[in-house]
Structure formats: structure tokens, C-alpha cells
Amino acid sequence: MIGHIIKREFFDHLNSLRFALTVLILAALMVTNAVVHLQSHPDKVRRYSEGVTNDQDKLQSETDLYELLKKGPGKLYKRPSALSFIADGGDAFLPGSGTKNWGSWSRSTTGFGGGRQVKVRSIWSMDYPTANPNARDLRPKATKIDWVFIITYLLSFIPLLFTFDALSGEKERGTLRLCLANPISRPALLVGKFLGTLITVLISFYFAVLLNLAVISLDSWTQLGWADWGRLGMIMLIASGYTSIFIAVGLMVSASTRDSRVSLVVLLIIWVGLVVFMPSSLGTLATKWMPPVQTAHQQKMARSSALDQINDDFNEQIANKRQVQSPPAELINQYQDQLRKLAKTSPAAAEKFAKEIEAKLRLERMQLESQEGDTAGLHIRAELVNKDVEIREQLNREHLTAQLAQVQRARMVTRFSPAAIVQYALESMTGTGLNRHLQFLEGVHLHVRQFRDFITEADRADPESLHIIGIPEGMSKKPILPQALPRFEDDITFSDTFNAAIVDMLLLVLLFGVFLSGAFLVFMRSDV
């Protein structure tokens, strides 16, 4: 009996004008999406390949260990997703690399005991770019036509057009009472109408998807692997579940009214609230209740204060070390007393004695500096350089964490809308957007740690090195093989994308269960 109802609903929808318009609109938008992707994606892949190649060439041309530490591992580019035509995820505004060059500094200091001038130079530290500088002033002039737009707006609106009169229309015509007079239960009738509408909408959507993929397959730059096809299958499942939610909403409202026009108006209000109003408005309201993140000026002042403190500590250590390693004050006072007594009796002898004392003190200072002063100075200079890196990275990490916490809280609030949920799920499965960027940053952190561990181990392997990391005089001078350098590989795996999307998919299943149960309860209690 359910199969008969499904066939009746399916053929009724198939012969309607609504179905023809649905197929036409979805096909047109999907083809447009594919054409735009063919024009933009090759440039993204080309820029990524050129950036990675140029960066690797520069890195492998350097064989000095200290210079590698000073210049760092490079920019570490983010690989464009092969499925970016599905969900852009705001990638135009997100950084395309994991690090940026903040600049450098150098300062001069005097060796212990009044020796030669030595320079202290900064080394590379990881700085997090917060936005793509090329897109900072970019404003969308038109709606981005990707699968997210098509699914969130059309696959929520179209099911309402197919279901607003599914039950209320039959109540108006009196056919629902006649239908239930036959040996058919209300749950079976509701399930048949639900599945018939779902099959109708998904057939038109899948047909448009096939057109989209057929056009995109013409592009040699878009190569889909097995993992990409697996993620594409999960995306189709997410879209089907999202469609099911709004079919259930349409049946629930249609079952609660006797006038199809009232049902249509109510469903339009619900659609505007859930799909249009809530995703944007809830996010805006959420930011009003959040504590403000440090401004650029506040961040700069905090960094300057912390760096001034380590500079003061460095100056104090230098002064204390010079005082300890200078000749004792008692010895200098003794020489001065002898010089004054000798000057009263024989000025010529006093002048000769003064020159001898000066040469002796200079020799003692040079001996102190050569014996232990150089090594102690290297340690103090290395401490300054490494603390500078530690402070800069810590403050940048804290600022980035505060920004991401605000974004995550806003996303949690907007998840009251199924449109926002499906958008985040599609971005995660596609390999774009915020979750993808967070996974990329984790890979960047791991690679930077491996890069620094490599430098430390290479320095320890040289017995002639002083093993003082951060200072050229304290590190190994042996050349490094370019092939030995750790390489950064940015991969988009199925497990990473699925794990990022699992929460949103579970929320969609929960919403589907709630609205479908609501449709059953309303239909079971409604009059026919």
C-alpha cells in the first residue's frame, strides 16, 4: 500500500509545472557553478604549485644551519581543495599560508671586559596571518553560486512548494477522507507522501549534480581521487538529509491546516526565519555578547612591553657578567695607591708604571674574555634571541586563539538554523572554510616543530659545535644536505573532513527526527 502511495505522489509531482521548473532552475545553477569553477580553479592550483616550488627552491639552496634557523621553513602554502566548487567556505578571506614574515631586528653590544662590539640578530618566529591581504577590501558584488547556496536555499524552499498542499489540499478537496476510508493507516499515508516527495526532489537535484560533474570533468586541473569521491558521496547524503528535514516541516504544517494558502504563508515565514534570518542575525547578535578581542594597537603594546622586559633582563645580565669578570676593585685601588706615591717622588717612573698597569689590566680583561667570557656571552645572547621568539609566538598564538574562540561561539549560536548546520557540514566535507583552516594550522605547527628538531639534532651531531642554538658562533658550520630537510605536505584526508563534519551531521539527523515526529503527531491528531 505504501508503494502505491509513493507511485501516486511521484507521478503527480512529475507531471506538475513545479517539477519542470525545479529541474530547469537546478540544472542552470549547477552548470553556472561548473563554468565559474573552470575559470577560477586552474589559477588557484597554478599559484599554489608555483608558490610551493619557489619556496622549496629557496629553502633547499641554503645549506648553513644558522641561516636555516634564521630564515625559517618558509610560508607553508595551503593546498586548494579539489571540491571547492561545492563550498567556497570564505577561502578568499582566509590566509593561503600558515606563516608570514614579521620582520627582523639586530642590536650591538660590547664584549665582556670592554672587548669588541658584537651583534645580536633575531631568528625566524612563527607569525599567524589573520586574513588574506589580497582580499581584505574585497566585498561580494553578487551571491556566490556554489553547492552551499543551491542546497541551503533551493533544497529547503523546493520541498515546501511540493508539500504545502500535500495534506491541506486533500482536506480542501475532500479526497483525504475518502483515502483514509480505505484500509490504509495514517502513518502509511504520511510515509508514502514523504518518500514520494523526497524521490521527486532528489531526482531533479541528482540530475543537476550529474550535469555539474560532467562539465567539471572537462577540466584537467580538477582531478578527483577515491577520497574525493567518498567525500562527494557524503555530501550527497548530507544534502538528502537536509531536504528530508524541510519535507517533514512541510508535511507537519500542511497537516495542521485545512487551507493550502494558509499553509503556504506559514511555510514561507518558517523558511525565511530558519534559512534567511537566523544564520546572519544570530551570528551578529552573538558577537555583541562576547568579550572584545585585543585590537591591533593593544596587541602591539602588549608585545612591546614583553619584549622590553626581556631586553632589560639581557642588559642586566650583561652588566652583571662584566662586573664579575672585571679585575677586582681591591687590585685596582692598590695600583692607584702605588701610582700616587710614585708620582710624588718620580713623575717619569709613575708614567712608566701607569703604562705597565694599563697593559696588565688589558691583558687580564682579554684573558677573562677569551677563557669564559665568549661562551657566557653566547649563552646570554642566545637566551635573548630564543626568548624573543617565544614571546612573539606566544602572544600571536593567544591572539589567534581568542579570535577563533569568538568565531566558534558564533557558529554554535547559528547552529539553531538547519541552513547554518548544513553549510558547516558541507564546508568540512569539502575541505574548505574554518575547520579546514584549523586542520591546516595543526599541520603547520607540527612541521615547524619538526623543522626545529631537525636543526637541533643536526647541531648535536657535530662534535665541534658549541650547541648554542640561535647564535651563529654557537652552531655547527657543517653544510646540510637539501634532501635531509623535512618537507611540508598539506593533504586533505577523508578522515579529517569526516571528523570535522560528524557533529553537524548528527545535528541534522536529530532535526530530521524531531520534525518527522512532529509531522506524525500533528497528522495523527488532526481532523480530516
Side-chain angles (χ1 to χ4, degrees):
M1 185 62 69
I2 293 180
H4 176 74
I5 297 173
I6 294 174
K7 290 180 182 178
R8 190 193 72 173
E9 290 294 320
F10 174 69
F11 285 113
D12 286 345
H13 291 319
L14 203 64
N15 294 325
S16 65
L17 180 61
R18 288 177 290 189
F19 179 78
L21 292 176
T22 297
V23 173
L24 181 63
I25 293 173
L26 288 177
L29 290 176
M30 281 294 188
V31 170
T32 302
N33 166 260
V35 172
V36 172
H37 177 75
L38 292 180
Q39 295 175 350
S40 60
H41 187 67
D43 291 336
K44 294 179 183 178
V45 177
R46 191 180 300 111
R47 287 195 301 267
Y48 168 77
S49 301
E50 292 174 354
V52 170
T53 301
N54 294 335
D55 203 66
Q56 285 295 325
D57 290 343
K58 291 179 182 178
L59 189 64
Q60 294 185 355
S61 64
E62 189 59 67
T63 58
D64 183 73
L65 200 61
Y66 171 74
E67 289 298 322
L68 283 173
L69 182 65
K70 181 181 176 182
K71 295 179 180 179
K75 294 187 70 174
L76 308 181
Y77 294 90
K78 180 164 58 176
R79 181 189 299 274
S81 172
L83 301 179
S84 59
F85 58 92
I86 296 176
D88 178 74
D91 275 352
F93 296 94
L94 290 171
S97 60
T99 60
K100 69 176 183 179
N101 184 15
W102 59 269
S104 61
W105 57 264
S106 64
R107 57 172 296 182
S108 299
T109 183
T110 306
F112 298 137
R116 67 185 186 280
Q117 290 281 329
V118 293
K119 273 199 170 185
V120 186
R121 293 183 174 86
S122 62
I123 58 176
W124 180 87
S125 66
M126 184 164 57
D127 198 3
Y128 305 94
T130 56
N132 184 356
N134 298 324
R136 190 168 294 167
D137 299 324
L138 182 64
R139 294 293 182 272
K141 298 179 176 60
T143 302
K144 179 76 175 180
I145 301 178
D146 54 8
W147 285 30
V148 168
F149 169 78
I150 296 171
I151 292 172
T152 55
Y153 284 92
L154 294 185
L155 288 190
S156 60
F157 185 72
I158 290 172
L160 302 183
L161 294 181
F162 279 92
T163 56
F164 78 94
D165 60 348
L167 296 171
S168 59
E170 292 203 25
K171 288 180 183 180
E172 288 179 319
R173 296 188 297 269
T175 56
L176 183 59
R177 180 175 299 178
L178 293 175
C179 182
L180 293 177
N182 295 312
I184 180 173
S185 64
R186 292 194 182 195
L189 178 62
L190 190 66
V191 170
K193 286 184 173 293
F194 173 82
L195 293 178
T197 305
L198 179 63
I199 293 171
T200 303
V201 176
L202 291 185
I203 282 179
S204 58
F205 175 67
Y206 289 168
F207 172 74
V209 166
L210 290 176
L211 282 180
N212 178 275
L213 297 177
V215 176
I216 287 177
S217 64
L218 301 175
D219 179 24
S220 59
W221 292 90
T222 305
Q223 301 293 332
L224 301 182
W226 289 108
D228 297 322
W229 285 109
R231 291 187 288 138
L232 189 60
M234 292 301 301
I235 288 169
M236 300 297 291
L237 184 62
I238 293 171
S240 303
Y242 182 69
T243 304
S244 302
I245 290 174
F246 282 90
I247 293 177
V249 171
L251 291 174
M252 182 176 63
V253 174
S254 182
S256 63
T257 60
R258 302 190 65 89
D259 190 338
S260 58
R261 292 171 297 182
V262 174
S263 175
L264 179 60
V265 172
V266 172
L267 287 173
L268 287 177
I269 294 174
I270 293 175
W271 181 81
V272 171
L274 291 178
V275 178
V276 180
F277 176 76
M278 290 180 64
S280 58
S281 301
L282 289 179
T284 303
L285 292 175
T287 57
K288 303 291 184 182
W289 306 325
M290 296 178 187
V293 180
Q294 274 187 331
T295 63
H297 176 70
Q298 291 172 337
Q299 185 188 15
K300 182 179 179 182
M301 294 301 294
R303 182 172 60 245
S304 298
S305 176
L307 295 179
D308 288 342
Q309 181 61 46
I310 65 173
N311 276 314
D312 292 341
D313 294 342
F314 171 75
N315 293 331
E316 184 178 354
Q317 287 180 331
I318 290 291
N320 292 339
K321 203 68 178 178
R322 286 175 185 164
Q323 185 177 1
V324 171
Q325 292 189 340
S326 297
E330 295 82 0
L331 181 61
I332 296 177
N333 292 333
Q334 181 182 354
Y335 285 152
Q336 290 177 347
D337 291 340
Q338 294 177 5
L339 186 61
R340 282 194 296 268
K341 292 178 182 179
L342 192 60
K344 294 178 181 179
T345 57
S346 175
E351 182 178 357
K352 181 179 179 182
F353 183 66
K355 292 180 179 179
E356 292 176 356
I357 292 175
E358 182 179 357
K360 186 175 182 179
L361 292 175
R362 185 185 303 112
L363 180 61
E364 289 180 2
R365 285 194 294 263
M366 292 176 63
Q367 288 175 347
L368 286 171
E369 186 173 351
S370 61
Q371 290 171 2
E372 54 178 312
D374 279 349
T375 303
L378 291 178
H379 281 290
I380 294 177
R381 288 157 56 196
E383 183 179 358
L384 170 66
V385 169
N386 291 309
K387 278 189 175 180
D388 177 82
V389 171
E390 180 183 351
I391 290 295
R392 290 181 185 276
E393 292 187 349
Q394 177 183 348
L395 293 177
N396 278 303
R397 191 181 304 113
E398 291 175 354
H399 186 66
L400 178 66
T401 302
Q403 288 180 323
L404 293 175
Q406 276 201 344
V407 175
Q408 295 287 25
R409 283 194 290 267
R411 287 164 71 99
M412 288 299 296
V413 174
T414 56
R415 279 185 170 91
F416 283 100
S417 166
I421 295 175
V422 78
Q423 177 182 342
Y424 301 151
L426 292 176
E427 289 177 358
S428 299
M429 288 304 306
T430 301
T432 58
L434 180 65
N435 287 333
R436 155 68 174 145
H437 189 66
L438 294 179
Q439 294 168 355
F440 169 69
L441 288 180
E442 289 180 4
V444 169
H445 296 161
L446 178 61
H447 178 74
V448 170
R449 187 161 58 248
Q450 292 174 344
F451 181 82
R452 287 172 173 166
D453 290 344
F454 168 80
I455 291 178
T456 302
E457 292 172 2
D459 182 77
R460 288 175 179 173
D462 184 7
E464 299 179 1
S465 171
L466 295 176
H467 309 312
I468 304 176
I469 305 300
I471 300 297
E473 299 90 342
M475 296 181 63
S476 172
K477 303 299 180 184
K478 289 186 176 181
I480 301 299
L481 293 176
Q483 298 82 0
L485 288 172
R487 294 179 63 89
F488 177 68
E489 298 290 342
D490 180 36
D491 294 324
I492 306 175
T493 63
F494 179 85
S495 60
D496 290 338
T497 56
F498 181 79
N499 292 336
I502 186 65
V503 173
D504 293 310
M505 289 191 291
L506 291 176
L507 287 175
L508 288 176
V509 172
L510 177 62
L511 285 177
F512 170 69
V514 169
F515 286 120
L516 188 61
S517 300
F520 271 103
L521 291 176
V522 171
F523 186 50
M524 294 296 291
R525 298 174 63 88
S526 64
D527 296 330
V528 296

